[in-house]
Amino acid sequence: MEQENKNQLDDVQRQIFDRISKNDVDGFQQLITQLKGCVDFVDGDGMTPLQHACCKGNKEAVQTLLDMGADINFNKHGADYTPLHFAALSGNMEVCRLILDAGINPSSLNSVSRTASQMAAFVGNHSCVETINNYVPRKTLEYYTRPQGQHKEPLIPPGLLDAFHHFVIEINLHPVRIALNLQSLGLLKSLPGLKKALEYMCEKEMKKPNDVNELMAFKFHYLRWIVSELMRCDEQCKAQRKEKSSEGDAGKHDFVELFIKRVLKENKIGQLDYLEFTLRECVREFPFRECTVFRQVVSQLAAKDPQPALLVFRNAINGHRGFGDETSYCSSCGNEKPDKKCSKCKQVKYCDRECQRLHWFMHKKTCARPTSNASASTSTSAAKEAIDTIELQEELSKITSS
Ligand SMILES: [Zn+2]
Ligand SMILES: [Zn+2]
């Protein structure tokens, strides 16, 4: 009888591995709920269902297994891959994030002395590399949600801890995305506290007794800069409202819109765009001038034909993606692989209608139907030269992919 039960159990386990390998989520969910108890069993290669699900980049299966108490540190297969190594190889950044949220140590080495992030870089999974390298454990942010010293109020309201965490670990450094995230995460009311918290976080990274993380320090400084620019826009909008004494749209986040327009606005050739100007100011304000990242960024911005500052920042914080990068980006916020196109010209891509709407005031100057005649294309060529980094990247990627 006991043997029969064991055989039945073995059979269920085998089927579970089979469902994961076929990415059959429904079948997997049905079977796994039949199991009572431990989900850390192994197949012939010593791999657990969690490791297989990570390998497949199957977010739902990974979430289910974590909810059922799968052990992220369980290791029986001999190559010392953590679930994060498998997730990094799968290329699914959301799975990487789930495993990181579950508390994996991202510096764990496999049997060939590679971290998960190094493995991801090796196979060109850039978004996984960035997700892992930009990760900050939620727990380390709790400090800012508690009152410190003589202050009665914390910098970040405790109810916004999750939002704060999301904001900090975001890998897209485009100012428009940062502003939109602050809005959608409900953080716009806490900008002053957020600015202060980011200032402390930057300082903390530089003053760690061991493993100083200059790149994260620079990232936090940059985020703080964007937050303070948003606050400046807020002040300006408030002052304008006072002048007009129009109470109708009080409370509306018109300053976010103002900021986004500033960022996306391209000036005539020869004039410095707001984005370029403010990012250079941001570098000047970085307090740790001895560190490598600072010197690297300064020397690149001071070069004869410097790359756009946003690209310099991105490369400094997240590393070069290399010429093989064929990813397309949203023309408004820089998100990867947007799936909407401008329906008129089909030349630019967006995440959604909101991104398209925000970019239209600039894009309408260059948007034309593909059937446009030669004279139209010469008149747009000047404007095209001033095109934003991200769009340029997109154009480049099109050329390389065709
Ligand atoms: Zn977008
Ligand atoms: Zn268009």
Side-chain angles (χ1 to χ4, degrees), residues 12-75:
V12 174
Q13 293 183 352
R14 240 192 318 276
Q15 288 182 51
I16 286 174
F17 286 118
D18 181 62
R19 296 297 188 280
I20 296 174
S21 75
K22 289 179 178 142
N23 264 332
D24 171 6
V25 176
D26 291 337
F28 162 78
Q29 307 275 25
Q30 256 172 29
L31 283 165
I32 199 89
T33 45
Q34 286 176 29
L35 278 184
K36 297 205 169 54
C38 189
V39 291
D40 297 319
F41 49 87
V42 295
D43 66 358
D45 300 320
M47 279 176 68
T48 62
L50 179 66
Q51 290 167 338
H52 274 290
C54 286
C55 230
K56 279 274 165 191
N58 192 321
K59 193 184 159 196
E60 287 86 1
V62 169
Q63 183 68 66
T64 303
L65 288 160
L66 289 173
D67 290 345
M68 292 181 78
D71 180 2
I72 48 169
N73 295 312
F74 189 94
N75 174 16

Side-chain angles (χ1 to χ4, degrees), residues 92 99-100 175 213 275 293 318 336 338 375:
N92 187 322
I99 299 296
L100 287 159
N213 193 336
L275 182 59
V293 64
N318 285 327
E336 271 186 37
S375 70

